[in-house]
């Protein structure tokens, strides 16, 4: 599985029992705290392996660091945050590479494994499936509010907690259910990743916008116009395939296109299993939300926001 159909990671079958999953991601800082940034960047990089139904095995650090402008301690704290998340994932750090660069960036290359018959893609959604999301959205709007110094301490803490949470727990629970398709929500925003699922699965998707979980105050900030440029770019790019109920609030729609850092898993599964999945997430202290359904067969795959 590679470049012909866009998915979260590359998959290479080694033998009947094992396929390799390979992915690479890195970010520029999203918080003032280097330790938190390290956790978030690592969780973000590991997420694509979970989205493919796999388990991360080994990781390597990738670092671009402005050694003349920032103290070495910033790098050490970032790597410490990353390592804590690597340990939590159960993967082993086996190396890495760093270069001097004017703009600080950190992330991981991740190698995972999966049973070749259990690979989850964004192409398998079936008519009548429920669509589940495992983290609230709004991190792009929140980052804009943080830069504008309008976000409260509570807002920042919630965003950091959401972004640094591994998708490991949700991925483990997916193994107990018949999952038809899965991806994670990142830069294209919820709507963009839904459209990739719609296109890949050749189905229309209906989303009940009011059921989509949002970070606290994200809607207020979006109403104030604190919407990142990336959200407008996403909207422009994905709008031709999106049917938006004209009665929807503009800020609520903007949030559907808000680019996410280290977002949750987006899952389609038999609607009869959806409630049980949500309840099971509570048993590990996490949440999941049923936000919509997979509709009819369709050549392009439309997204309908109501
Ligand atoms: Co992804
Ligand atoms: Co990725
Ligand atoms: Co090297």
């Amino acid at each position: 599985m590679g470049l012909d159909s866009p998915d979260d990671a590359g998959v290479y079958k080694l033998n009947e029992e094992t396929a390799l999953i390979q992915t690479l991601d890195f970010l520029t800082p999203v918080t003032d705290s280097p330790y938190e940034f390290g956790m978030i960047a690592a969780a973000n990089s590991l997420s694509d392996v979970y989205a493919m139904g796999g388990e991360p095995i080994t990781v390597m650090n990738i670092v671009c660091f402005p050694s003349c402008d920032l103290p070495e301690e910033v790098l050490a704290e970032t790597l410490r945050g990353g390592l804590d998340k690597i340990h939590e994932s159960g993967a082993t750090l086996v190396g890495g590479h760093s270069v001097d660069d004017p703009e600080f960036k950190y992330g991981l290359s991740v190698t995972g494994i999966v049973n070749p018959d259990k690979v989850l893609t964004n192409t398998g959604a079936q008519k009548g499936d429920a669509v589940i999301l495992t983290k609230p959205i709004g991190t792009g709007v929140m980052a804009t509010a943080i830069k504008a110094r309008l976000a409260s301490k509570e807002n920042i803490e919630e965003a950091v907690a959401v972004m640094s949470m591994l998708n490991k727990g949700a991925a483990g629970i997916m193994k107990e259910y018949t999952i038809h398709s899965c991806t994670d929500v990142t830069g294209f925003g919820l709507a963009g990743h839904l459209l990739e699922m719609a296109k890949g699965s050749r189905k229309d998707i209906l989303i009940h916008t009011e059921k989509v979980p949002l970070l606290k105050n994200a809607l207020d900030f979006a109403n104030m116009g604190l919407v990142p440029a990336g959200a407008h770019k996403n909207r422009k790019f994905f709008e031709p395939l999106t049917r938006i109920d004209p009665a929807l609030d503009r800020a609520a729609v903007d949030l559907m296109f808000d680019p996410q850092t280290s977002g949750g898993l987006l899952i389609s599964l038999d609607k009869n299993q959806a409630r049980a999945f949500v309840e099971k997430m509570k048993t590990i202290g996490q949440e999941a939300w049923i936000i919509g359904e997979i509709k009819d067969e369709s050549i392009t795959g439309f997204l309908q926001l109501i």
Side-chain angles (χ1 to χ4, degrees):
M1 187 173 297
L3 303 173
D4 27 302
S5 146
D7 216 308
D8 297 296
V11 182
Y12 184 85
K13 186 174 171 180
L14 291 175
N15 55 46
E16 292 312 311
E17 286 84 45
T18 311
L20 276 185
I21 303 175
Q22 292 177 293
T23 175
L24 165 69
D25 244 300
F26 57 93
L27 305 173
T28 53
V30 289
T31 67
D32 290 337
S33 151
Y35 177 76
E36 288 172 358
F37 168 50
M39 289 198 299
I40 292 165
N44 179 68
S45 301
L46 288 156
S47 176
D48 280 325
V49 169
Y50 295 126
M52 300 304 292
E55 272 168 59
I57 300 299
T58 58
V59 305
M60 290 196 270
N61 283 327
I62 174 162
V63 178
C64 302
F65 193 71
S67 59
C68 300
D69 304 335
L70 290 176
E72 215 168 276
E73 200 204 322
V74 169
L75 180 56
E77 277 297 285
T78 302
L79 296 179
R80 188 171 71 85
L83 191 60
D84 280 354
K85 283 290 151 180
I86 294 164
H87 285 155
E88 189 184 330
S89 79
T92 304
L93 178 68
V94 293
H97 189 76
S98 59
V99 292
D100 216 300
D101 190 85
E103 194 177 16
F104 185 22
K105 304 172 198 84
Y106 169 64
L108 304 174
S109 89
V110 185
T111 300
I113 52 169
V114 65
N115 181 311
D117 298 327
K118 306 248 165 87
V119 177
L120 297 175
T121 70
N122 57 13
T123 63
Q126 295 179 17
K127 184 178 175 177
D129 278 359
V131 177
I132 285 180
L133 179 66
T134 67
K135 285 187 188 181
I137 63 166
T139 63
V141 164
M142 200 53 72
T144 312
I146 292 169
K147 271 181 213 143
R149 309 236 165 256
L150 289 165
S152 67
K153 190 167 167 274
E154 189 195 357
N155 291 146
I156 298 171
E157 279 171 6
E158 186 195 10
V160 169
V162 165
M163 291 188 285
S164 61
M165 186 206 284
L166 290 180
N167 284 326
K168 180 183 185 180
I173 289 176
M174 284 203 296
K175 293 195 167 75
E176 299 170 34
Y177 295 87
T178 316
I179 307 301
H180 293 151
S181 72
C182 178
T183 189
D184 59 346
V185 181
T186 51
F188 295 152
L190 178 63
H193 292 282
L194 280 164
L195 270 167
E196 290 210 317
M197 187 179 277
K199 188 178 170 201
S201 306
R202 291 175 167 260
K203 301 282 185 299
D204 291 340
I205 300 181
L206 173 74
I207 296 299
H208 303 274
T209 309
E210 89 283 357
K211 291 190 181 163
V212 174
L214 304 175
L215 292 176
K216 197 178 168 209
N217 297 126
L219 193 58
D220 304 322
F221 293 136
N223 257 314
M224 292 164 67
L226 297 167
V227 176
H232 297 301
K233 241 188 245 173
N234 282 340
R235 184 166 178 161
K236 208 172 162 192
F237 189 77
F238 292 109
E239 207 164 31
L241 290 172
T242 311
R243 293 168 184 149
I244 302 168
D245 183 340
L248 287 177
D249 181 46
R250 163 138 200 141
V253 176
D254 282 341
L255 278 163
M256 299 300 114
F257 293 95
D258 185 43
Q260 300 301 288
T261 299
S262 191
L265 296 181
L266 187 59
I267 299 163
S268 97
L269 81 174
D270 195 305
K271 71 168 189 285
N272 296 319
Q273 296 189 354
R275 276 275 139 229
F277 187 98
V278 168
E279 290 306 314
K280 190 78 193 195
M281 285 287 283
K282 287 181 189 156
T283 67
I284 60 161
Q286 294 185 20
E287 277 188 277
W289 296 264
I290 301 169
I291 61 168
E293 59 229 69
I294 306 294
K295 305 298 275 189
D296 294 323
E297 201 77 35
S298 141
I299 297 194
T300 45
F302 276 97
L303 172 63
Q304 193 182 355
L305 300 176
I306 63 168

